[in-house]
Amino acid sequence: MKQTVKRILKRAGYDLHRIEPTFVPFVRHFTFAGQPFDFWIGNPDAEWWYQEEGWKIAGEYKELTRLCKSGDRILEIGSHQGFTGILCAIFSQANGSVVSLEAHPLNAMIATAQLGANPSIKNLRFINAAGGDHEGSVQIAPKHNSSVVPGGGEATVEVPLRTGDALDKELGPFNVLKIDVEGFENMVLKGCKEILRRKPKIAIEVHIDSLAKYGSGVAEVLEQIHIKDYHGTMVVRPDYNTVKPFAVEQLPATGIANLFLTPL
């Protein structure tokens, strides 16, 4: 019957298309580490990613809880819509602080809106910028989970580029470095040389397949970190929930691994 109606309308000069429902942002309520907070869900991907039950058993949550302590001063580079920034702010408590960079302007705007929804969280600041190895600007892909585009292009957005060391002088000093930058890890670490000399605690999401796009690999990332000075744990996808002891030889050849490192 539906196909018959479509054919009749088409002969009459009309083309029938299904209209997809428009996503309407909404607030979801969470409680982590005993602290309730509200979180703007800005799009369908965020609706799927940020679910309380899944996060409470996720290895990343377990290890961020272990790594980030009261009084820590945390620099987060790559915050998406602010969820892990809020968690780090909760873990570091009122005597700690979090400075969180997010490259995508829309995600940064949503992340900043999280602060308006949670006026009791006063130790967290979001900045619309990408992290890198020098101060300036960079082109990013204007997609939901954005990444730096080497050489730019038509489908890009120009955003500020900041180094961790410059932010460390302005807003630090930081003793925890959290990085999630879709393969741009080595370039971000090059901009954090002074921070790394102090041997901070590190949480880094290593996008193994995407590193080559920026002229690096896992070996370069581990060298920047001075991995011999660290021990820790890792979560290797697609198993998001299992936490394993970190070992260089156990890193996969492909995929994504989250490392949670503490200086020896």
Side-chain angles (χ1 to χ4, degrees):
M1 179 66 180
K2 185 186 295 183
Q3 294 301 318
T4 301
V5 171
K6 287 180 72 174
R7 283 197 297 270
I8 293 170
L9 289 171
K10 193 168 185 179
R11 291 193 197 104
Y14 299 97
D15 196 2
L16 191 63
H17 295 283
R18 181 179 177 181
I19 299 175
E20 296 295 335
T22 301
F23 181 86
V24 178
F26 64 96
V27 171
R28 181 172 278 169
H29 308 287
F30 292 94
T31 300
F32 281 86
Q35 180 167 328
F37 64 91
D38 291 334
F39 190 81
W40 279 104
I41 300 295
N43 50 40
D45 284 340
E47 183 176 15
W48 182 79
W49 285 345
Y50 301 122
Q51 300 182 43
E52 187 162 16
E53 290 184 4
W55 264 89
K56 282 192 171 176
I57 63 172
E60 183 175 359
Y61 171 65
K62 298 171 191 172
E63 290 308 282
L64 284 177
T65 306
R66 179 185 64 81
L67 202 69
C68 300
K69 299 299 183 183
S70 175
D72 279 341
R73 297 177 64 88
I74 302 165
L75 175 61
E76 179 182 46
I77 301 179
S79 184
H80 193 243
Q81 294 181 2
F83 191 80
T84 53
I86 290 176
L87 292 182
C88 289
I90 291 171
F91 303 151
S92 61
Q93 300 185 19
N95 59 333
S97 64
V98 183
V99 174
S100 182
L101 268 64
E102 170 53 40
H104 195 298
L106 177 60
N107 287 340
M109 182 174 68
I110 295 172
T112 302
Q114 312 297 0
L115 299 179
N118 297 278
S120 64
I121 298 178
K122 301 183 183 300
N123 61 337
L124 172 59
R125 174 179 178 177
F126 292 106
I127 298 173
N128 179 205
D133 63 338
H134 65 279
E135 295 281 293
S137 63
V138 72
Q139 302 289 328
I140 67 163
K143 58 182 181 180
H144 175 60
N145 203 19
S146 61
S147 59
V148 171
V149 178
E154 290 185 7
T156 59
V157 175
E158 185 173 356
V159 300
L161 186 68
R162 301 298 314 272
T163 69
D165 286 339
L167 290 164
D168 189 62
K169 290 179 181 178
E170 294 172 18
L171 303 169
F174 303 109
N175 71 306
V176 181
L177 191 56
K178 182 182 179 299
I179 299 172
D180 180 0
V181 290
E182 309 296 316
F184 208 56
E185 294 89 342
N186 195 43
M187 302 305 288
V188 168
L189 289 167
K190 284 183 177 181
C192 296
K193 291 185 183 299
E194 294 303 318
I195 298 174
L196 291 169
R197 282 195 182 99
R198 298 198 300 266
K199 295 185 181 179
K201 294 181 284 185
I202 299 172
I204 183 168
E205 186 167 293
V206 183
H207 291 252
I208 297 165
D209 300 307
S210 298
L211 289 168
K213 182 167 66 172
Y214 306 106
S216 69
V218 174
E220 289 85 354
V221 169
L222 298 180
E223 183 180 357
Q224 293 284 348
I225 292 171
H226 307 292
I227 197 63
K228 292 181 180 179
D229 296 333
Y230 283 88
H231 68 104
T233 59
M234 61 184 182
V235 174
V236 179
R237 299 183 191 178
D239 185 352
Y240 286 82
N241 299 330
T242 301
V243 178
K244 304 176 181 180
F246 170 75
V248 173
E249 60 274 13
Q250 295 299 316
L251 283 171
T254 187
I256 298 173
N258 289 80
L259 312 183
F260 304 92
L261 306 171
T262 304
L264 294 167

